Amino acid sequence: MVGSSKWPRVVIFTTPNCPWCRAAKEYLRQRGIPFKEVDVSRDAAAARDLVRRTGQMGVPVLDIGGKIVVGFNRPQIDALLGLKKR
């Protein structure tokens, strides 16, 4: 499956000192799910866009195939990725 993925596009908005961000990234890595990380502490435009889209100023926020997950909400993340409970 070169050049394609069985997963929806995942973007995770983070900051460097956020423990829940680290936990969410590790969770995705452990499941082999590729993601793009956007550090909102270094990207002011992304931070503004995140607030506009979600009304939230906190992180992590995940965009999974265009659906927003605020916080490290494993059940919601699993549902959007089609993962079965472990």
Side-chain angles (χ1 to χ4, degrees), residues 49-81:
D49 185 50
L50 184 64
V51 172
R52 181 188 59 77
R53 290 172 62 198
T54 67
Q56 300 290 318
M57 291 177 52
V59 288
V61 172
L62 293 87
D63 179 333
I64 302 175
K67 307 277 188 199
I68 299 296
V69 178
V70 176
F72 181 32
N73 183 330
R74 275 180 261 202
Q76 192 176 10
I77 292 167
D78 288 352
L80 290 173
L81 291 171

Side-chain angles (χ1 to χ4, degrees), residues 12-83:
I12 181 168
F13 297 89
T14 67
T15 59
N17 298 321
C18 165
W20 290 110
C21 299
R22 286 191 294 275
K25 290 184 292 185
E26 183 60 25
Y27 186 75
L28 294 172
R29 284 187 193 108
Q30 287 174 353
R31 283 148 186 81
I33 298 164
F35 60 90
K36 176 184 176 189
E37 180 177 4
V38 178
D39 179 350
V40 295
S41 73
R42 295 176 187 257
D43 187 337
R48 285 189 303 271
D49 185 50
L50 184 64
V51 172
R52 181 188 59 77
R53 290 172 62 198
T54 67
Q56 300 290 318
M57 291 177 52
V59 288
V61 172
L62 293 87
D63 179 333
I64 302 175
K67 307 277 188 199
I68 299 296
V69 178
V70 176
F72 181 32
N73 183 330
R74 275 180 261 202
Q76 192 176 10
I77 292 167
D78 288 352
L80 290 173
L81 291 171
L83 296 174

